[in-house]
Each structure stands twice: as C-alpha cells, then as structure tokens.
Amino acid sequence: MARIAGRFGRVEPRATARAYLLGLLSNVERKNCWQLAEQAGHARPGPMQRLLRYARWDADAVRDDLRAYAVDHLGTHGGVLVVDETGFVKKGRASAGVQRQYTGTAGRIENSQVGVFLALATVRGRALIDRRLYLPERSWSTDPGRRHAAGIPDEVQFATKPRLAGEMIAAALDAGITASWVTGDEAYGQDPQLRAALEARGLGYVLAVACSTRVRINHGRTPVRADVLVRRLPATAWQRHSAGAGAKGPRYYDWAWIHNGSDAHRHLLVRRNRTTGELAFYLCWSPTKVPLAELVRVAGVRWSVEECLQAAKGQVGLDHYQVRNWTAWHRHIMLALAFLTAVAASAAPDRPTDSTHPARCSDPITLTVPEIRHLLAAVFNSPVATVSRLLHWSTWRRRHQATSRRSHYRRRSVDEPAG
C-alpha cells in the first residue's frame, strides 16, 4: 500500500483502497463492491463504488507503480512480455464495451466485454502489468450517446486488439522494462503492423499464426502456405524439446524451424504433438541469432498469461466486479495479484526449479499463489488461529501435492517415446 498511497490525495479514498485490496485477498465469495464493503465493515457500498468511479486518483499512475513493483520482485532475467485477451460475460448493454462477441472464456459468442492484458514473465514468476478494455467499432465508437452514458472519454477511439497490445508493450518498454521477447496467440501474430512495430523496437517475438500463413522460401522468392511447407519437411528436421513445465510434467513436443525470407533471423516455428499429430505455427524474429531451444522456450511462456488470468479471476476476483463505467473498469486494482506473485517469488528456494529435476522426496512444493492467499485469508478471518497450526496444514497440503507431481513426472517419463 505504501507504493500507491501517494496516488490518493485524500485519506478517505486511500483507506478505502487499502480495504479494497484486503478484500480482494480475502475469502469473500464474490468480490464486488457490496461484498467487499461488508468485508471491510462498511455500513454501505458507497465508499467502494466512489473509489472506482468518482474519487480523484490516476489509475494509470497506479498501473505504473504496479509495473515497477513487478520488476522489483520478479526481475527481468529471461523476461518475456505476453499479450492475451479474456472475456467478461455481462448482462444488458450499458457496460462499457459490451456487445455480443466471441470470447474464449465462454467458448462461444456471448454478450460480454473483452479486455486485452499484458503480462511480464521471468524465471521468478509472472504478473499482469497492464490492461486495456476493447471498444468495439460499430456498436460503440460511433455512438456518442452510448459512449457518454458509459463514461468513455472523447479521446478514446476504436483500436484493434493488436494495436492495444502494441500500446501496452511500448509503454512497458518506455518505462524501462528490459524484456527481450514478446509472445501471443494468433490474434496478435496475424497482425503485420504489430510485428513491424516490435522489429522497429529491436524486440524479438514468437507469435502464433494460422496454418494458412504464407512463408517465403528460396531466399524470399517463393511464397508457400505453412501447412503445405510442413509436409515437405524430412523426418530429420524435427527435434524433441520441452516447452516448459505443465501440471503433469514437462510439455514435450516435436519442433521444426524454417528460414522465412532472406533474413537469417526470421523463422517459421512449427510445433507437433507426437500423439495426435496436431500442428501449431509461429512467426519468429530476433535481432540476433538464437538457437531453436530459445524460440521453444518463448513459445512455451505464452501459456503463462492464461495462468495469470485464471489466477486473477479465481483468486482476486478479476471477473467479479459489477461496474459499467469505463473509468471504473480500468481502476480494478491488479496489485493484489502482483503482491501474491511477489510473495511466492520471495518464498521460492534458491535451488533450480527446472521441471526435469524434481525436488527431493521429502520436500513440499513451493508456496503457490492460491496457497498464499489461503493463508492470508485464514489470518484475516480467524485471528485466533495459531501460526504453527496454519503452517502445519500448509506443509501437509504441499507435501501431498509434491507426491502427486512426482507421480505425474514418473508417468510422463515412462510414456515419453524415445528418440
């Protein structure tokens, strides 16, 4: 709280912001203004609602503090900026940016808002560091009455999701973040303007693209569809690499890379599931020559933003808010998740955490974001609980989780085909 206290000019919103953050870390079932106010001991939800909509404070300045906090605790070693979007299913048509649109959260077209998020992933952990609410072009950008009712500023105009991602990446770099890579899914990899902007900043990328993407071979003279080109690859072109640790062990796939055009630093990266034969394609560029293993590492980091969004929704109520206003949406403080991530990073042992070298049999898994929030909530809600009792149960749970993890790793190593 000391990081952001100076962003609030009056003591009342400062105290409410602290109560709001504590509420997000609590075991409150639904983290909306009503229940957060009840958790804080308020007689009504008015202070929480004013904090998000009417109080005078700069949400982007708090975002800057969050970004600096994440860098201080997670560092930048192996840093990758990851972009992704997530949907928030809503009722009615008054909430800023809401319309019937596809959202991966529901897996179908739903009445929803869509937010674009930026995460920083390093060897110590990952945290969300920026956000933008997507404003649909036809239903919102050209409707002054609807915009005014939702509190959308006049200077906010339609921007594609890749453009929003580019703005957040540029802001992070301008703020001094020294990430070397950007990764994201097809929605961002298919945008040539985003790729060009990253290259202009000297920032490498590994971005997913569709199988129909055309790749230039023969020194850039011949364009060929990616899926057609893969069929021509010899068996020796494929190499086995892990894309990082998953819930059940290392995520091994077959990988191949092909020079794209005349630039030696530009590649098409292909991932193949040896069991199902499913293929995934990535356009890659780096300012310097890098090995295949590095591109595979960055491609594997992309899943970290999905884990961040899942934790944000499941642990600190990112999708529990009940606000309609544009400003209020951007004021939902992501600092609670960054705090949990920082605590998890500081609690991690100094030993290597490579998933291919599991810890000793007697070691519990390291503290996770859900476990840390559970412990904090237990302290908030049951002050009579002794520290020794809380830590006993935490150690018991994490030892059992470690046993399950080792079993998954052994099964994965047995099932892993040789060669």
Side-chain angles (χ1 to χ4, degrees), residues 215-242:
V215 179
R216 291 190 170 275
I217 59 175
N218 296 330
H219 299 286
R221 294 190 298 268
T222 309
V224 183
R225 276 178 57 117
D227 53 356
V228 174
L229 185 59
V230 168
R231 299 188 200 123
R232 304 178 185 175
L233 292 177
T236 55
W238 297 95
Q239 301 180 37
R240 196 69 163 166
H241 288 280
S242 169

PDB file of all heavy atoms in Angstrom, residues 215-242:
ATOM      1  N   VAL A 215       4.666 -18.397 -46.128  1.00  0.00           N
ATOM      2  CA  VAL A 215       6.068 -18.262 -45.741  1.00  0.00           C
ATOM      3  C   VAL A 215       6.908 -18.212 -47.010  1.00  0.00           C
ATOM      4  O   VAL A 215       6.685 -18.983 -47.952  1.00  0.00           O
ATOM      5  CB  VAL A 215       6.501 -19.459 -44.870  1.00  0.00           C
ATOM      6  CG1 VAL A 215       7.964 -19.339 -44.479  1.00  0.00           C
ATOM      7  CG2 VAL A 215       5.616 -19.562 -43.637  1.00  0.00           C
ATOM      8  N   ARG A 216       7.865 -17.308 -47.024  1.00  0.00           N
ATOM      9  CA  ARG A 216       8.730 -17.156 -48.203  1.00  0.00           C
ATOM     10  C   ARG A 216       9.990 -17.999 -48.042  1.00  0.00           C
ATOM     11  O   ARG A 216      10.725 -17.845 -47.074  1.00  0.00           O
ATOM     12  CB  ARG A 216       9.087 -15.688 -48.425  1.00  0.00           C
ATOM     13  CG  ARG A 216       7.900 -14.851 -48.864  1.00  0.00           C
ATOM     14  CD  ARG A 216       8.298 -13.463 -49.305  1.00  0.00           C
ATOM     15  NE  ARG A 216       7.179 -12.775 -49.928  1.00  0.00           N
ATOM     16  CZ  ARG A 216       6.840 -12.879 -51.206  1.00  0.00           C
ATOM     17  NH1 ARG A 216       7.577 -13.643 -52.013  1.00  0.00           N
ATOM     18  NH2 ARG A 216       5.806 -12.243 -51.690  1.00  0.00           N
ATOM     19  N   ILE A 217      10.217 -18.876 -48.995  1.00  0.00           N
ATOM     20  CA  ILE A 217      11.411 -19.714 -49.014  1.00  0.00           C
ATOM     21  C   ILE A 217      12.223 -19.393 -50.262  1.00  0.00           C
ATOM     22  O   ILE A 217      11.853 -18.499 -51.033  1.00  0.00           O
ATOM     23  CB  ILE A 217      11.040 -21.210 -48.963  1.00  0.00           C
ATOM     24  CG1 ILE A 217      10.141 -21.595 -50.157  1.00  0.00           C
ATOM     25  CG2 ILE A 217      10.337 -21.544 -47.641  1.00  0.00           C
ATOM     26  CD1 ILE A 217       9.845 -23.080 -50.236  1.00  0.00           C
ATOM     27  N   ASN A 218      13.309 -20.121 -50.463  1.00  0.00           N
ATOM     28  CA  ASN A 218      14.210 -19.861 -51.612  1.00  0.00           C
ATOM     29  C   ASN A 218      14.664 -18.403 -51.605  1.00  0.00           C
ATOM     30  O   ASN A 218      14.509 -17.687 -52.599  1.00  0.00           O
ATOM     31  CB  ASN A 218      13.521 -20.206 -52.939  1.00  0.00           C
ATOM     32  CG  ASN A 218      13.182 -21.684 -53.056  1.00  0.00           C
ATOM     33  OD1 ASN A 218      13.880 -22.519 -52.489  1.00  0.00           O
ATOM     34  ND2 ASN A 218      12.097 -21.994 -53.761  1.00  0.00           N
ATOM     35  N   HIS A 219      15.192 -17.990 -50.436  1.00  0.00           N
ATOM     36  CA  HIS A 219      15.702 -16.620 -50.262  1.00  0.00           C
ATOM     37  C   HIS A 219      14.619 -15.573 -50.513  1.00  0.00           C
ATOM     38  O   HIS A 219      14.885 -14.507 -51.068  1.00  0.00           O
ATOM     39  CB  HIS A 219      16.888 -16.375 -51.192  1.00  0.00           C
ATOM     40  CG  HIS A 219      18.041 -17.301 -50.926  1.00  0.00           C
ATOM     41  ND1 HIS A 219      18.869 -17.173 -49.841  1.00  0.00           N
ATOM     42  CD2 HIS A 219      18.483 -18.394 -51.619  1.00  0.00           C
ATOM     43  CE1 HIS A 219      19.780 -18.126 -49.862  1.00  0.00           C
ATOM     44  NE2 HIS A 219      19.575 -18.883 -50.923  1.00  0.00           N
ATOM     45  N   GLY A 220      13.396 -15.912 -50.111  1.00  0.00           N
ATOM     46  CA  GLY A 220      12.305 -14.958 -50.196  1.00  0.00           C
ATOM     47  C   GLY A 220      11.592 -14.896 -51.517  1.00  0.00           C
ATOM     48  O   GLY A 220      10.703 -14.068 -51.710  1.00  0.00           O
ATOM     49  N   ARG A 221      11.940 -15.784 -52.444  1.00  0.00           N
ATOM     50  CA  ARG A 221      11.347 -15.695 -53.785  1.00  0.00           C
ATOM     51  C   ARG A 221      10.024 -16.440 -53.909  1.00  0.00           C
ATOM     52  O   ARG A 221       9.194 -16.088 -54.751  1.00  0.00           O
ATOM     53  CB  ARG A 221      12.342 -16.248 -54.820  1.00  0.00           C
ATOM     54  CG  ARG A 221      13.608 -15.428 -54.985  1.00  0.00           C
ATOM     55  CD  ARG A 221      14.409 -15.900 -56.192  1.00  0.00           C
ATOM     56  NE  ARG A 221      14.844 -17.270 -56.037  1.00  0.00           N
ATOM     57  CZ  ARG A 221      16.008 -17.628 -55.505  1.00  0.00           C
ATOM     58  NH1 ARG A 221      16.838 -16.707 -55.050  1.00  0.00           N
ATOM     59  NH2 ARG A 221      16.343 -18.904 -55.408  1.00  0.00           N
ATOM     60  N   THR A 222       9.807 -17.487 -53.087  1.00  0.00           N
ATOM     61  CA  THR A 222       8.639 -18.358 -53.275  1.00  0.00           C
ATOM     62  C   THR A 222       7.750 -18.350 -52.034  1.00  0.00           C
ATOM     63  O   THR A 222       8.179 -18.812 -50.960  1.00  0.00           O
ATOM     64  CB  THR A 222       9.093 -19.801 -53.560  1.00  0.00           C
ATOM     65  OG1 THR A 222      10.056 -19.798 -54.606  1.00  0.00           O
ATOM     66  CG2 THR A 222       7.898 -20.667 -53.940  1.00  0.00           C
ATOM     67  N   PRO A 223       6.500 -17.845 -52.150  1.00  0.00           N
ATOM     68  CA  PRO A 223       5.586 -17.908 -51.005  1.00  0.00           C
ATOM     69  C   PRO A 223       4.861 -19.263 -50.972  1.00  0.00           C
ATOM     70  O   PRO A 223       4.338 -19.736 -51.985  1.00  0.00           O
ATOM     71  CB  PRO A 223       4.605 -16.766 -51.264  1.00  0.00           C
ATOM     72  CG  PRO A 223       4.590 -16.610 -52.756  1.00  0.00           C
ATOM     73  CD  PRO A 223       5.943 -17.035 -53.260  1.00  0.00           C
ATOM     74  N   VAL A 224       4.832 -19.894 -49.792  1.00  0.00           N
ATOM     75  CA  VAL A 224       4.196 -21.198 -49.626  1.00  0.00           C
ATOM     76  C   VAL A 224       3.395 -21.189 -48.326  1.00  0.00           C
ATOM     77  O   VAL A 224       3.854 -20.645 -47.317  1.00  0.00           O
ATOM     78  CB  VAL A 224       5.246 -22.341 -49.583  1.00  0.00           C
ATOM     79  CG1 VAL A 224       4.557 -23.701 -49.494  1.00  0.00           C
ATOM     80  CG2 VAL A 224       6.155 -22.292 -50.804  1.00  0.00           C
ATOM     81  N   ARG A 225       2.205 -21.802 -48.364  1.00  0.00           N
ATOM     82  CA  ARG A 225       1.414 -21.925 -47.136  1.00  0.00           C
ATOM     83  C   ARG A 225       2.194 -22.724 -46.098  1.00  0.00           C
ATOM     84  O   ARG A 225       2.887 -23.693 -46.418  1.00  0.00           O
ATOM     85  CB  ARG A 225       0.091 -22.621 -47.416  1.00  0.00           C
ATOM     86  CG  ARG A 225      -1.012 -21.707 -47.933  1.00  0.00           C
ATOM     87  CD  ARG A 225      -2.267 -22.510 -48.224  1.00  0.00           C
ATOM     88  NE  ARG A 225      -2.740 -23.249 -47.074  1.00  0.00           N
ATOM     89  CZ  ARG A 225      -3.928 -23.052 -46.478  1.00  0.00           C
ATOM     90  NH1 ARG A 225      -4.738 -22.108 -46.936  1.00  0.00           N
ATOM     91  NH2 ARG A 225      -4.294 -23.789 -45.442  1.00  0.00           N
ATOM     92  N   ALA A 226       2.047 -22.341 -44.831  1.00  0.00           N
ATOM     93  CA  ALA A 226       2.804 -23.006 -43.779  1.00  0.00           C
ATOM     94  C   ALA A 226       2.489 -24.486 -43.677  1.00  0.00           C
ATOM     95  O   ALA A 226       3.390 -25.318 -43.535  1.00  0.00           O
ATOM     96  CB  ALA A 226       2.520 -22.306 -42.436  1.00  0.00           C
ATOM     97  N   ASP A 227       1.193 -24.836 -43.778  1.00  0.00           N
ATOM     98  CA  ASP A 227       0.841 -26.255 -43.643  1.00  0.00           C
ATOM     99  C   ASP A 227       1.323 -27.077 -44.832  1.00  0.00           C
ATOM    100  O   ASP A 227       1.633 -28.265 -44.694  1.00  0.00           O
ATOM    101  CB  ASP A 227      -0.658 -26.422 -43.437  1.00  0.00           C
ATOM    102  CG  ASP A 227      -1.490 -25.716 -44.491  1.00  0.00           C
ATOM    103  OD1 ASP A 227      -0.914 -25.015 -45.359  1.00  0.00           O
ATOM    104  OD2 ASP A 227      -2.728 -25.850 -44.451  1.00  0.00           O
ATOM    105  N   VAL A 228       1.408 -26.469 -46.009  1.00  0.00           N
ATOM    106  CA  VAL A 228       1.940 -27.167 -47.169  1.00  0.00           C
ATOM    107  C   VAL A 228       3.446 -27.357 -47.020  1.00  0.00           C
ATOM    108  O   VAL A 228       3.991 -28.439 -47.334  1.00  0.00           O
ATOM    109  CB  VAL A 228       1.616 -26.386 -48.459  1.00  0.00           C
ATOM    110  CG1 VAL A 228       2.303 -27.032 -49.665  1.00  0.00           C
ATOM    111  CG2 VAL A 228       0.105 -26.327 -48.672  1.00  0.00           C
ATOM    112  N   LEU A 229       4.105 -26.360 -46.521  1.00  0.00           N
ATOM    113  CA  LEU A 229       5.556 -26.435 -46.361  1.00  0.00           C
ATOM    114  C   LEU A 229       5.959 -27.519 -45.370  1.00  0.00           C
ATOM    115  O   LEU A 229       6.968 -28.214 -45.571  1.00  0.00           O
ATOM    116  CB  LEU A 229       6.077 -25.072 -45.893  1.00  0.00           C
ATOM    117  CG  LEU A 229       7.590 -24.906 -45.768  1.00  0.00           C
ATOM    118  CD1 LEU A 229       8.274 -25.171 -47.111  1.00  0.00           C
ATOM    119  CD2 LEU A 229       7.925 -23.508 -45.279  1.00  0.00           C
ATOM    120  N   VAL A 230       5.157 -27.690 -44.319  1.00  0.00           N
ATOM    121  CA  VAL A 230       5.489 -28.690 -43.300  1.00  0.00           C
ATOM    122  C   VAL A 230       5.490 -30.095 -43.883  1.00  0.00           C
ATOM    123  O   VAL A 230       6.291 -30.948 -43.475  1.00  0.00           O
ATOM    124  CB  VAL A 230       4.501 -28.574 -42.119  1.00  0.00           C
ATOM    125  CG1 VAL A 230       4.623 -29.766 -41.185  1.00  0.00           C
ATOM    126  CG2 VAL A 230       4.742 -27.292 -41.351  1.00  0.00           C
ATOM    127  N   ARG A 231       4.615 -30.345 -44.836  1.00  0.00           N
ATOM    128  CA  ARG A 231       4.550 -31.695 -45.429  1.00  0.00           C
ATOM    129  C   ARG A 231       5.832 -32.049 -46.166  1.00  0.00           C
ATOM    130  O   ARG A 231       6.106 -33.224 -46.408  1.00  0.00           O
ATOM    131  CB  ARG A 231       3.362 -31.791 -46.378  1.00  0.00           C
ATOM    132  CG  ARG A 231       2.013 -31.549 -45.714  1.00  0.00           C
ATOM    133  CD  ARG A 231       0.874 -31.841 -46.662  1.00  0.00           C
ATOM    134  NE  ARG A 231      -0.356 -31.188 -46.224  1.00  0.00           N
ATOM    135  CZ  ARG A 231      -1.064 -30.337 -46.952  1.00  0.00           C
ATOM    136  NH1 ARG A 231      -0.663 -30.036 -48.187  1.00  0.00           N
ATOM    137  NH2 ARG A 231      -2.161 -29.789 -46.480  1.00  0.00           N
ATOM    138  N   ARG A 232       6.603 -31.056 -46.559  1.00  0.00           N
ATOM    139  CA  ARG A 232       7.827 -31.310 -47.305  1.00  0.00           C
ATOM    140  C   ARG A 232       9.034 -31.542 -46.397  1.00  0.00           C
ATOM    141  O   ARG A 232      10.117 -31.868 -46.884  1.00  0.00           O
ATOM    142  CB  ARG A 232       8.133 -30.116 -48.220  1.00  0.00           C
ATOM    143  CG  ARG A 232       7.006 -29.767 -49.184  1.00  0.00           C
ATOM    144  CD  ARG A 232       7.391 -28.536 -50.003  1.00  0.00           C
ATOM    145  NE  ARG A 232       6.302 -28.077 -50.855  1.00  0.00           N
ATOM    146  CZ  ARG A 232       6.355 -26.978 -51.596  1.00  0.00           C
ATOM    147  NH1 ARG A 232       7.464 -26.226 -51.572  1.00  0.00           N
ATOM    148  NH2 ARG A 232       5.324 -26.618 -52.349  1.00  0.00           N
ATOM    149  N   LEU A 233       8.849 -31.339 -45.092  1.00  0.00           N
ATOM    150  CA  LEU A 233       9.986 -31.454 -44.192  1.00  0.00           C
ATOM    151  C   LEU A 233      10.404 -32.912 -44.026  1.00  0.00           C
ATOM    152  O   LEU A 233       9.556 -33.793 -43.849  1.00  0.00           O
ATOM    153  CB  LEU A 233       9.633 -30.876 -42.823  1.00  0.00           C
ATOM    154  CG  LEU A 233       9.415 -29.363 -42.733  1.00  0.00           C
ATOM    155  CD1 LEU A 233       8.994 -28.974 -41.327  1.00  0.00           C
ATOM    156  CD2 LEU A 233      10.684 -28.620 -43.130  1.00  0.00           C
ATOM    157  N   PRO A 234      11.696 -33.206 -44.050  1.00  0.00           N
ATOM    158  CA  PRO A 234      12.168 -34.572 -43.771  1.00  0.00           C
ATOM    159  C   PRO A 234      12.039 -34.880 -42.289  1.00  0.00           C
ATOM    160  O   PRO A 234      11.907 -33.976 -41.446  1.00  0.00           O
ATOM    161  CB  PRO A 234      13.631 -34.522 -44.211  1.00  0.00           C
ATOM    162  CG  PRO A 234      14.026 -33.095 -44.027  1.00  0.00           C
ATOM    163  CD  PRO A 234      12.802 -32.275 -44.359  1.00  0.00           C
ATOM    164  N   ALA A 235      12.102 -36.154 -41.951  1.00  0.00           N
ATOM    165  CA  ALA A 235      11.975 -36.565 -40.555  1.00  0.00           C
ATOM    166  C   ALA A 235      13.091 -35.984 -39.695  1.00  0.00           C
ATOM    167  O   ALA A 235      12.886 -35.711 -38.506  1.00  0.00           O
ATOM    168  CB  ALA A 235      11.979 -38.086 -40.465  1.00  0.00           C
ATOM    169  N   THR A 236      14.251 -35.743 -40.299  1.00  0.00           N
ATOM    170  CA  THR A 236      15.380 -35.220 -39.541  1.00  0.00           C
ATOM    171  C   THR A 236      15.220 -33.749 -39.162  1.00  0.00           C
ATOM    172  O   THR A 236      16.002 -33.222 -38.369  1.00  0.00           O
ATOM    173  CB  THR A 236      16.675 -35.373 -40.363  1.00  0.00           C
ATOM    174  OG1 THR A 236      16.494 -34.739 -41.639  1.00  0.00           O
ATOM    175  CG2 THR A 236      17.004 -36.846 -40.573  1.00  0.00           C
ATOM    176  N   ALA A 237      14.214 -33.084 -39.734  1.00  0.00           N
ATOM    177  CA  ALA A 237      14.005 -31.662 -39.421  1.00  0.00           C
ATOM    178  C   ALA A 237      13.393 -31.461 -38.042  1.00  0.00           C
ATOM    179  O   ALA A 237      13.449 -30.356 -37.495  1.00  0.00           O
ATOM    180  CB  ALA A 237      13.110 -31.019 -40.477  1.00  0.00           C
ATOM    181  N   TRP A 238      12.823 -32.530 -37.466  1.00  0.00           N
ATOM    182  CA  TRP A 238      12.110 -32.400 -36.197  1.00  0.00           C
ATOM    183  C   TRP A 238      13.035 -32.711 -35.028  1.00  0.00           C
ATOM    184  O   TRP A 238      13.813 -33.662 -35.065  1.00  0.00           O
ATOM    185  CB  TRP A 238      10.905 -33.341 -36.164  1.00  0.00           C
ATOM    186  CG  TRP A 238       9.888 -33.015 -37.214  1.00  0.00           C
ATOM    187  CD1 TRP A 238       9.777 -33.571 -38.459  1.00  0.00           C
ATOM    188  CD2 TRP A 238       8.853 -32.044 -37.119  1.00  0.00           C
ATOM    189  NE1 TRP A 238       8.740 -33.011 -39.143  1.00  0.00           N
ATOM    190  CE2 TRP A 238       8.140 -32.069 -38.347  1.00  0.00           C
ATOM    191  CE3 TRP A 238       8.434 -31.157 -36.127  1.00  0.00           C
ATOM    192  CZ2 TRP A 238       7.058 -31.242 -38.608  1.00  0.00           C
ATOM    193  CZ3 TRP A 238       7.348 -30.336 -36.373  1.00  0.00           C
ATOM    194  CH2 TRP A 238       6.675 -30.385 -37.602  1.00  0.00           C
ATOM    195  N   GLN A 239      12.918 -31.878 -33.986  1.00  0.00           N
ATOM    196  CA  GLN A 239      13.701 -32.074 -32.769  1.00  0.00           C
ATOM    197  C   GLN A 239      12.766 -32.081 -31.569  1.00  0.00           C
ATOM    198  O   GLN A 239      11.757 -31.371 -31.546  1.00  0.00           O
ATOM    199  CB  GLN A 239      14.739 -30.967 -32.589  1.00  0.00           C
ATOM    200  CG  GLN A 239      15.730 -30.841 -33.730  1.00  0.00           C
ATOM    201  CD  GLN A 239      16.733 -29.720 -33.488  1.00  0.00           C
ATOM    202  OE1 GLN A 239      17.159 -29.488 -32.370  1.00  0.00           O
ATOM    203  NE2 GLN A 239      17.101 -29.024 -34.554  1.00  0.00           N
ATOM    204  N   ARG A 240      13.108 -32.879 -30.581  1.00  0.00           N
ATOM    205  CA  ARG A 240      12.284 -33.003 -29.386  1.00  0.00           C
ATOM    206  C   ARG A 240      12.744 -31.998 -28.332  1.00  0.00           C
ATOM    207  O   ARG A 240      13.916 -31.983 -27.948  1.00  0.00           O
ATOM    208  CB  ARG A 240      12.408 -34.424 -28.834  1.00  0.00           C
ATOM    209  CG  ARG A 240      11.332 -34.821 -27.829  1.00  0.00           C
ATOM    210  CD  ARG A 240      10.009 -34.949 -28.506  1.00  0.00           C
ATOM    211  NE  ARG A 240       9.045 -35.691 -27.693  1.00  0.00           N
ATOM    212  CZ  ARG A 240       7.757 -35.700 -27.949  1.00  0.00           C
ATOM    213  NH1 ARG A 240       7.294 -35.016 -28.976  1.00  0.00           N
ATOM    214  NH2 ARG A 240       6.932 -36.397 -27.206  1.00  0.00           N
ATOM    215  N   HIS A 241      11.825 -31.141 -27.880  1.00  0.00           N
ATOM    216  CA  HIS A 241      12.141 -30.160 -26.844  1.00  0.00           C
ATOM    217  C   HIS A 241      10.943 -30.022 -25.911  1.00  0.00           C
ATOM    218  O   HIS A 241       9.793 -30.228 -26.306  1.00  0.00           O
ATOM    219  CB  HIS A 241      12.449 -28.789 -27.450  1.00  0.00           C
ATOM    220  CG  HIS A 241      13.764 -28.710 -28.152  1.00  0.00           C
ATOM    221  ND1 HIS A 241      14.960 -28.547 -27.481  1.00  0.00           N
ATOM    222  CD2 HIS A 241      14.079 -28.771 -29.472  1.00  0.00           C
ATOM    223  CE1 HIS A 241      15.949 -28.508 -28.358  1.00  0.00           C
ATOM    224  NE2 HIS A 241      15.442 -28.645 -29.566  1.00  0.00           N
ATOM    225  N   SER A 242      11.224 -29.622 -24.673  1.00  0.00           N
ATOM    226  CA  SER A 242      10.161 -29.314 -23.726  1.00  0.00           C
ATOM    227  C   SER A 242       9.822 -27.834 -23.812  1.00  0.00           C
ATOM    228  O   SER A 242      10.718 -26.981 -23.854  1.00  0.00           O
ATOM    229  CB  SER A 242      10.593 -29.658 -22.293  1.00  0.00           C
ATOM    230  OG  SER A 242       9.666 -29.132 -21.352  1.00  0.00           O
TER     231      SER A 242
END
